């Protein structure tokens, strides 16, 4: 069990094995335990089902940075396995 509270800056207040107390009549809930502030990236992909429309921009930013980091590396490695044949293929 875990509790995740999403902050406006994109960070997540993460409680692992929290203790939850509730007063339904007063519409009050208390969550206690050891809390850690983590980046959204650290909790993916298990946290995707908890994301709402407020976190859509953060998720999009993460996806773009991931694609950019993977795309940059791949462009350098594209020609690594193709030998240089020069001007005449028959000579090689």
């Amino acid at each position: 069990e875990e509790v995740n509270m999403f902050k406006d800056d994109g960070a997540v207040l993460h409680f692992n094995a929290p203790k939850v107390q509730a007063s339904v009549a007063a519409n009050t809930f208390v969550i206690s335990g050891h809390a850690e502030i983590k980046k959204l990236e650290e909790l993916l992909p298990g946290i995707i089902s908890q994301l709402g429309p407020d976190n859509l921009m953060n998720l999009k930013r993460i996806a773009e940075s991931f694609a950019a980091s993977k795309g940059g590396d791949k462009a350098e490695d594209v020609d690594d396995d193709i030998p240089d044949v020069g001007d005449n293929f028959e000579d090689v």
Side-chain angles (χ1 to χ4, degrees):
E1 298 295 324
E2 66 181 13
V3 172
N4 295 305
M5 296 182 182
F6 300 94
K7 298 172 67 176
D8 291 337
D9 64 356
V12 180
L13 185 60
H14 176 75
F15 291 86
N16 195 18
K19 181 178 179 186
V20 179
Q21 298 172 338
S23 174
V24 179
N27 198 24
T28 304
F29 297 86
V30 176
I31 299 170
S32 60
H34 179 69
E36 297 175 329
I37 296 179
K38 295 187 174 188
K39 292 182 179 180
L40 188 59
E41 294 92 350
E42 294 176 38
L43 299 171
L44 288 174
I47 200 170
I48 289 178
S49 64
Q50 299 175 23
L51 297 177
D54 298 343
N55 299 104
L56 185 59
M57 291 306 295
N58 289 330
L59 193 58
K60 185 175 181 180
R61 177 185 49 83
I62 293 167
E64 288 172 353
S65 66
F66 182 73
S69 69
K70 290 295 182 187
D73 295 341
K74 191 170 186 172
E76 296 172 2
D77 296 337
V78 168
D79 293 334
D80 286 347
D81 58 347
I82 301 173
D84 187 17
V85 294
D87 294 330
N88 190 351
F89 181 74
E90 296 296 326
D91 292 340
V92 178

